Amino acid sequence: MIKLSLKNYLKCLAHIFVPLGCIFLGVLFGAHALFGAIAEQTAFVKEEIAGILSGVETDFDQLWSYVIASARELKWDQPLNTVKMLLQGDWLAEKIGTFLGMTNEQYAQFLVRIQTVLVSVGEGLTGGLTAFCVWAALGVLGGYFVTALFVRRSTVKRGFWKFFGAALLESFFSTTLIAFTVWLLSVWSPGAIISLAVSMLVFGFVALYEAYLLHGRELKLSKVVNIKNCYLLQLSQLLIMLISFAVIAVLFAATNFLVALAIGFSVIIIAFLVSNVNAESYVANMAEAERAKNVL
């Protein structure tokens, strides 16, 4: 089982560009929404400042260039803190006040008006950031489900009724397992440790029993669902996750943060998907070997 599980994992890593592509598309659409919001709010700020300073004789292009140059000198290694500071209004009002040589009274009045404008700007940027996060999340989810099709095609095939039956079985067994774990924790405080060990065993049993019902009913149940296979399945899942984390660690050491994060997401997605089908793949191969033996 371990050999087959690792073989499935290594074979499915060939699909790594599928989740990467979906994540990239999600981030691309999200970046379009975010940068659109930034451009819109930047134009809004320039227009509002020009309106507030309508009675002041100054070159607004020079004023804006001065503000941009000052902003570049800020500490952008912590971008969220820097943006938060800019949206409070004090920094922007101070820079404009310094450029125009405002008196203390003029500066106080200008600060109040700038803060009112930046509240609206903050809401607009929050909307753009929310859109970016939503698109990025959709990219990850899309990558998961699209990759699932490729992983299943590479490991074990299901017809519609097997897919439907698997969904029902997974729902029933998962609900039962969760209810049992919650009950154990409620009646016995050391239940967390026990429930972890039991859950690992039960998860293997559930996965193998489900795979038996879907693919291996011509086999003896005891040949498929037993303690040895349950723990071998868990061991194979553990090895897959350890290999995945090792790959991610190498990526973070050899590349930059964004590249390692994107590829790391893809590796983890494939690891989870392969872990979900390994039991079915194992039982389907056993059933196929049994049928071949009977034919001979």
Side-chain angles (χ1 to χ4, degrees):
M1 179 179 293
I2 294 176
K3 182 180 178 181
L4 177 64
S5 298
L6 294 177
K7 179 182 176 182
N8 286 339
Y9 175 63
L10 295 176
K11 180 169 60 176
C12 290
L13 279 178
H15 303 308
I16 194 169
F17 292 105
V18 177
L20 266 179
C22 293
I23 292 171
F24 174 76
L25 284 176
V27 170
L28 189 64
F29 282 113
H32 174 73
L34 178 58
F35 290 135
I38 292 173
E40 181 181 346
Q41 296 307 316
T42 300
F44 173 73
V45 169
K46 291 177 67 176
E47 182 180 344
E48 290 298 311
I49 290 176
I52 294 172
L53 301 176
S54 57
V56 178
E57 293 185 5
T58 186
D59 187 329
F60 287 103
D61 288 334
Q62 289 185 3
L63 171 61
W64 193 248
S65 297
Y66 170 74
V67 171
I68 296 298
S70 299
R72 288 173 179 167
E73 296 175 358
L74 296 174
K75 296 180 179 179
W76 288 99
D77 54 335
Q78 296 180 332
L80 292 180
N81 291 335
T82 302
V83 170
K84 183 179 179 181
M85 182 191 72
L86 292 176
L87 292 177
Q88 289 175 347
D90 301 70
W91 181 88
L92 182 59
E94 179 186 351
K95 292 301 177 183
I96 295 176
T98 300
F99 184 85
L100 298 177
M102 291 181 177
T103 64
N104 290 338
E105 184 180 351
Q106 289 173 325
Y107 173 77
Q109 294 176 352
F110 180 66
L111 175 60
V112 172
R113 300 181 70 178
I114 281 293
Q115 286 175 332
T116 302
V117 171
L118 291 184
V119 168
S120 178
V121 172
E123 293 174 353
L125 292 179
T126 300
L129 183 60
T130 301
F132 175 83
C133 293
V134 169
W135 276 111
L138 288 175
V140 173
L141 287 175
Y144 181 89
F145 287 110
V146 174
T147 308
L149 298 176
F150 286 90
V151 168
R152 186 160 293 284
R153 185 179 297 175
S154 300
T155 52
V156 59
K157 295 180 180 179
R158 281 183 189 165
F160 172 78
W161 291 110
K162 285 188 177 181
F163 175 83
F164 182 72
L168 291 178
L169 289 171
E170 287 170 4
S171 300
F172 171 75
F173 286 129
S174 297
T175 303
T176 304
L177 180 58
I178 292 170
F180 168 75
T181 302
V182 172
W183 172 80
L184 185 60
L185 290 172
S186 66
V187 299
W188 191 34
S189 56
I193 299 175
I194 302 299
S195 64
L196 177 62
V198 172
S199 295
M200 291 179 64
L201 180 62
V202 173
F203 174 82
F205 169 81
V206 167
L208 288 168
Y209 188 64
E210 176 188 325
Y212 170 80
L213 293 178
L214 292 172
H215 303 283
R217 280 176 289 181
E218 64 265 37
L219 299 170
K220 290 183 178 180
L221 179 62
S222 59
K223 188 177 180 180
V224 176
V225 184
N226 53 61
I227 294 178
K228 177 184 176 181
N229 282 344
C230 289
Y231 278 108
L232 285 177
L233 180 63
Q234 291 301 313
L235 180 58
S236 67
Q237 317 297 53
L238 178 60
L239 289 174
I240 287 173
M241 297 310 295
L242 288 175
I243 293 172
S244 299
F245 286 126
V247 170
I248 293 171
V250 171
L251 288 170
F252 273 102
T255 64
N256 60 55
F257 176 79
L258 291 177
V259 171
L261 186 65
I263 299 178
F265 260 126
S266 302
V267 170
I268 289 297
I269 285 173
I270 290 173
F272 273 112
L273 288 170
V274 172
S275 296
N276 287 338
V277 300
N278 272 336
E280 286 188 55
S281 178
Y282 173 71
V283 176
N285 282 355
M286 286 182 64
E288 185 177 348
E290 184 70 20
R291 286 192 292 270
K293 186 172 68 174
N294 291 336
V295 169
L296 295 176

